[in-house]
């Protein structure tokens, strides 16, 4: 296949993307993937210094990058962020809802505050970001791409960690994705989700050890037909594909990137 064919299928030059939760972990990889394919990328989270470093790195791909400090739970901050991105990079063509939290605690004594935090960040903020950006996409009339970062736990329970709020909200994000795909298909907006299994990040690292806990890793590997955790770079193709012209007829899909976790 020629470079021209590849560009035609997967090229994102001239597109503007917003990736939430891009100050660490998977969000950085999603931003890198979109930048590699040629999109200008706004990276949003609360830790501005981290975002500034990420943005510098994205610029090495020859694209424009904009760090935006905002809390996804604050609708006013998201409104302002979307406006800032519009004024600086242009209207958003691709939204990746990646910001997330995974509060841990046994269900029977899970503090309501932790439950609420999972709901606020993992679900309500995904909806409000979709609403803010989706409204602009609808008004502009040129379609768009929304990619929600769910989890394999959107479709099954977590037998390794006690994360009741996380599992509940990821299940909701998976079905929110399908609902928006149906409602916004008429506007040419595709809405899909990526459902990763376990990738080492701040979220999955034991803060006391500074790495993934061995016993948890062994259990995760046991549940994974490919027998290992996800590695850096293994989500790049999924985000580029769903954002690209190649996926123009793909909507309402949940793309598992999970070493086969959901296959059995
Ligand atoms: N790692 C995995 O194995 C795995 C598996 C399946 C799904 N996922 C999903 O992938 C996504 C990224 O997770 P990760 O593993 O990369 O975790 P991570 O390294 O902890 O990153 C979480 C990101 O979310 C941002 N964030 C959290 N609360 C926020 C808020 N209120 N406002 C704005 N940004 C906020 C954080 O930035 P600030 O703290 O700077 O705000 C950070 O950039 C999550 O949705 C997670 O559920 C991860």
């Amino acid at each position: 296949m020629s470079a021209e064919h590849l560009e035609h299928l997967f090229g994102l030059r001239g597109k503007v993307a917003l990736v939430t939760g891009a100050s660490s972990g998977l969000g950085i990889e999603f931003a890198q993937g979109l930048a590699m394919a040629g999109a200008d990328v706004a990276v949003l989270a609360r830790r501005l210094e981290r975002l500034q470093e990420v943005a510098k790195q994205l610029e090495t791909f020859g694209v424009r990058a904009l760090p935006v400090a905002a809390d996804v739970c604050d609708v006013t901050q998201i409104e302002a962020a979307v406006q800032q991105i519009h004024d600086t990079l242009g209207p958003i063509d691709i939204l990746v809802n990646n910001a997330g939290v995974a509060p841990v605690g046994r269900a029977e004594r899970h503090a309501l505050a932790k439950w609420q935090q999972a709901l606020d960040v993992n679900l309500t903020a995904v909806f409000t970001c979709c609403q803010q950006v989706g409204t602009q996409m609808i008004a502009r009339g040129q379609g768009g791409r929304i990619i929600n970062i769910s989890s394999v736990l959107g479709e099954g329970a977590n037998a390794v960690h006690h994360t009741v709020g996380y599992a509940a909200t990821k299940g909701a994000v998976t079905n929110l994705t399908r609902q928006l795909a149906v409602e916004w298909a008429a506007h040419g907006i595709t809405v899909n989700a990526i459902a990763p299994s376990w990738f080492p990040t701040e979220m999955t690292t034991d803060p006391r050890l500074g790495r993934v806990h061995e016993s948890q890793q062994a259990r995760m590997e046991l549940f994974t037909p490919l027998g290992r955790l996800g590695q850096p770079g293994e989500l790049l193709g999924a985000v580029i594909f769903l954002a690209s012209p190649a996926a123009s007829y793909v909507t309402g899909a949940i793309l598992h990137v999970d070493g086969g976790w959901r296959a059995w």
Side-chain angles (χ1 to χ4, degrees):
M1 193 181 291
S2 70
E4 196 184 327
H5 286 134
L6 277 175
E7 177 64 26
H8 183 68
L9 281 172
F10 299 113
L12 297 177
R13 206 150 289 283
K15 300 292 182 191
V16 173
L18 163 59
V19 181
T20 70
S23 61
S24 69
L26 307 186
I28 297 179
E29 181 158 325
F30 294 132
Q32 286 171 340
L34 298 172
M36 278 176 194
D40 295 323
V41 186
V43 284
L44 182 150
R46 291 164 303 178
R47 289 171 290 178
L48 182 59
E49 276 183 20
R50 293 256 198 132
L51 294 173
Q52 286 166 336
E53 280 168 34
V54 173
K56 260 192 217 148
Q57 204 261 333
L58 295 179
E59 283 167 355
T60 65
F61 293 107
V63 301
R64 295 180 298 160
L66 178 71
V68 183
D71 185 331
V72 288
C73 301
D74 183 328
V75 181
T76 314
Q77 288 186 32
I78 293 306
E79 263 174 21
V82 170
Q83 189 61 49
Q84 186 191 348
I85 296 161
H86 184 282
D87 295 346
T88 313
L89 299 179
I92 297 168
D93 301 289
I94 303 157
L95 166 65
V96 181
N97 280 306
N98 165 79
V101 291
V104 179
R106 288 180 179 277
E108 64 274 22
R109 24 176 216 270
H110 205 74
L112 206 52
K114 286 186 179 181
W115 171 264
Q116 192 60 51
Q117 188 199 11
L119 273 180
D120 290 347
V121 180
N122 296 354
L123 181 57
T124 307
V126 172
F127 176 59
T128 53
C129 288
C130 284
Q131 210 177 34
Q132 296 277 334
V133 175
T135 306
Q136 286 202 352
M137 287 173 173
I138 291 168
R140 193 169 160 227
Q142 293 183 26
R145 299 296 169 94
I146 296 178
I147 302 164
N148 295 326
I149 308 309
S150 186
S151 164
V152 287
L153 302 177
E155 290 156 89
N158 189 345
V160 180
H161 305 99
H162 297 104
T163 52
V164 65
Y166 186 82
T169 53
K170 290 298 179 178
V173 166
T174 291
N175 219 34
L176 171 67
T177 300
R178 297 184 180 115
Q179 182 67 29
L180 292 179
V182 170
E183 290 201 24
W184 290 350
H187 302 286
I189 301 169
T190 68
V191 189
N192 293 291
I194 295 174
S197 56
W198 226 31
F199 286 73
T201 63
E202 281 181 21
M203 183 178 279
T204 51
T205 296
D206 184 325
R208 289 162 304 179
L209 299 175
R211 60 182 155 73
V212 173
H213 196 287
E214 288 90 355
S215 64
Q216 292 177 348
Q217 176 160 348
R219 289 203 74 187
M220 298 300 273
E221 288 171 351
L222 196 65
F223 288 123
T224 309
L226 285 181
R228 61 173 177 81
L229 306 186
Q231 292 170 356
E234 291 192 311
L235 286 160
L236 289 173
V239 76
I240 294 171
F241 169 65
L242 290 176
S244 73
S248 55
Y249 199 53
V250 178
T251 196
I254 312 302
L255 177 51
H256 298 102
V257 184
D258 64 354
W261 178 293
R262 291 304 305 161
W264 61 316

